[in-house]
């Protein structure tokens, strides 16, 4: 059972150790310390935990870290002014606005305001457009982390049928684009499923590699997975007290792990990779601004 686990925590640690060395040599050669600024609007407890991990990782790797916390009722202009200020701050190379934003704010409006050269989330239309054209600059962190997990686990994608469940700009759309692009990892035949997909179990059962980012706890059951396939679970949810208050993903891990040949756990699968790739993108942003 253990040999089929894709251990994102240890792959992420390995990547961060190598990034830490790269950051040190960048600092030595340029005199510049890469800096990441994270903007958190509101008091969503899960977002606060993620933002804290991002700050901690940047400091651990030798980068500057700053977090701007705005209240739940922050106005559009307060948020945009914060982004404009960070765009102009030369100590800040990467800007990330934690999503989701409170419902009175339009995420597109805020993302559009980020200077594309500092958009380490890869969500600005300029970066999403480059990715769609096969010329990626900043690859969104979770899809980038999934590619690294597949590479590190020696799971080939060329000619495979990849089924992606979920069509978000953060995960579903970019990973579908990346894995259908030329080269390895890539060269896959990709099917993108979503809430309106008919007979979704039939589609997911045809996957060699199933990537799930639908945002619903334990959505993928054992009968939706082909024996011997690879399953990548992007979801993370807190279970109710009646079920032990632990974490679970979008995949029913206990049942599906008996069928899959390889599977990511939650926690310890995709999550830590997202952080590693954010650190990678922040260093890349500093390199692009100081070349
Ligand atoms: N919320 C959950 N994942 C992410 C992410 O990768 N980036 C941002 N900005 N918000 C998120």
């Amino acid at each position: 059972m253990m040999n089929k686990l894709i251990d994102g925590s240890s792959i992420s640690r390995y990547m961060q150790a190598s990034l830490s060395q790269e950051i040190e040599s960048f600092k030595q050669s340029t005199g510049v310390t890469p800096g990441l600024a994270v903007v958190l609007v509101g008091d969503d407890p899960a977002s606060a935990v993620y933002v804290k991990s991002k700050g901690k990782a940047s400091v651990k790797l030798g980068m500057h870290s700053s977090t701007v916390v705005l209240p739940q009722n922050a106005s559009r202009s307060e948020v945009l002014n914060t982004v404009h200020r960070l765009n102009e701050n030369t100590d800040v190379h990467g800007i990330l606005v934690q999503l989701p934003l409170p419902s009175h704010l339009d995420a597109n409006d805020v993302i559009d305001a980020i200077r594309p050269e500092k958009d380490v989330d890869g969500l600005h239309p300029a970066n999403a457009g480059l990715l769609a054209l096969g010329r990626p600059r900043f690859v969104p962190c979770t899809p980038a982390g999934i590619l690294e997990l597949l590479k590190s686990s020696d799971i080939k994608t060329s000619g495979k049928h990849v089924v992606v469940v979920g069509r978000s700009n953060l995960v579903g759309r970019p990973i579908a684009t990346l894995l259908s692009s030329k080269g390895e990892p890539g060269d896959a035949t990709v099917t993108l499923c979503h809430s309106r997909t008919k007979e979704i179990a039939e589609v997911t059962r045809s996957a060699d590699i199933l990537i799930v980012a639908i945002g619903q706890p334990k959505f993928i059951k054992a009968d939706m997975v082909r024996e011997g396939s690879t399953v990548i679970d992007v979801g993370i949810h807190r279970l109710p007290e009646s079920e032990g208050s632990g974490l679970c993903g979008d995949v029913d891990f206990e049942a599906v792990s008996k069928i899959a040949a390889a599977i990511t756990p939650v926690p310890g699968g995709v999550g830590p990779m997202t952080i590693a790739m954010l650190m990678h993108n922040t260093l890349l942003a500093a390199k692009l601004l100081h070349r």
Side-chain angles (χ1 to χ4, degrees):
M1 170 48 213
M2 289 312 283
N3 63 351
K4 60 164 72 172
L5 263 195
I6 301 176
D7 184 352
S9 296
S10 92
I11 298 168
S12 170
R13 265 197 304 277
Y14 181 81
M15 285 197 65
Q16 291 191 49
S18 128
L19 272 170
S20 166
Q21 289 180 1
E22 257 189 82
I23 289 164
E24 186 50 39
S25 59
F26 175 77
K27 282 160 75 172
Q28 295 273 341
S29 63
T30 61
V32 172
T33 301
L36 172 68
V38 179
V39 180
L40 173 63
V41 186
D43 40 27
D44 177 64
S47 290
V49 170
Y50 301 143
V51 166
K52 208 169 157 191
S53 317
K54 291 168 184 177
K56 251 173 82 175
S58 349
V59 171
K60 194 167 168 214
L61 267 56
M63 301 198 283
H64 278 311
S65 158
S66 60
T67 304
V68 181
V69 182
L70 297 173
Q72 180 75 22
N73 62 358
S75 67
R76 174 178 183 270
S77 62
E78 271 178 281
V79 179
L80 292 182
N81 285 338
T82 300
V83 171
H84 293 146
R85 203 163 36 76
L86 296 171
N87 282 341
E88 298 306 318
N89 185 336
T90 52
D91 290 335
V92 171
H93 303 94
I95 302 171
L96 179 146
V97 177
Q98 186 67 25
L99 300 173
L101 288 169
S103 57
H104 66 282
L105 295 167
D106 178 359
N108 286 335
D109 226 17
V110 178
I111 290 164
D112 288 359
I114 299 172
R115 187 176 160 196
E117 292 82 4
K118 294 191 176 189
D119 168 41
V120 286
D121 243 347
L123 298 178
H124 187 282
N127 290 317
L130 285 172
L131 184 84
L133 295 171
R135 301 161 47 196
R137 176 165 50 187
F138 298 113
V139 177
C141 304
T142 300
I146 294 171
L147 296 186
E148 289 300 323
L149 282 180
L150 294 171
K151 270 198 272 183
S152 302
S153 311
D154 205 24
I155 294 164
K156 300 282 185 255
T157 59
S158 177
K160 300 279 177 64
H161 185 205
V162 173
V163 174
V164 178
V165 183
R167 55 180 156 182
S168 69
N169 291 338
L170 263 176
V171 186
R173 282 181 200 281
I175 195 68
T177 301
L178 288 159
L179 287 174
S180 57
S181 300
K182 275 191 196 285
E184 179 78 46
D187 285 336
T189 304
V190 178
T191 303
L192 183 57
C193 299
H194 46 76
S195 53
R196 299 296 175 98
T197 299
K198 287 186 181 151
E199 311 293 353
I200 194 165
E202 239 168 69
V203 184
T204 56
R205 261 199 308 273
S206 71
D208 299 307
I209 300 172
L210 178 61
I211 300 175
V212 193
I214 189 87
Q216 290 186 41
K218 302 189 185 182
F219 178 81
I220 298 291
K221 309 289 185 200
D223 63 357
M224 298 171 79
V225 174
R226 176 148 99 195
E227 197 154 344
S229 60
T230 294
V231 178
I232 306 287
D233 187 353
V234 178
I236 183 153
H237 312 275
R238 172 80 50 198
L239 287 165
E241 230 173 89
S242 60
E243 291 177 50
S245 312
L247 297 173
C248 78
D250 289 352
V251 174
D252 182 350
F253 180 86
E254 206 181 308
V256 171
S257 59
K258 295 189 174 104
I259 292 163
I263 185 166
T264 56
V266 175
V270 173
M273 295 304 295
T274 299
I275 304 251
M277 299 320 297
L278 176 62
M279 303 300 111
H280 170 272
N281 281 354
T282 305
L283 173 60
L284 176 62
K287 285 182 173 173
L288 292 174
L289 290 164
H290 291 278
R291 57 185 167 185

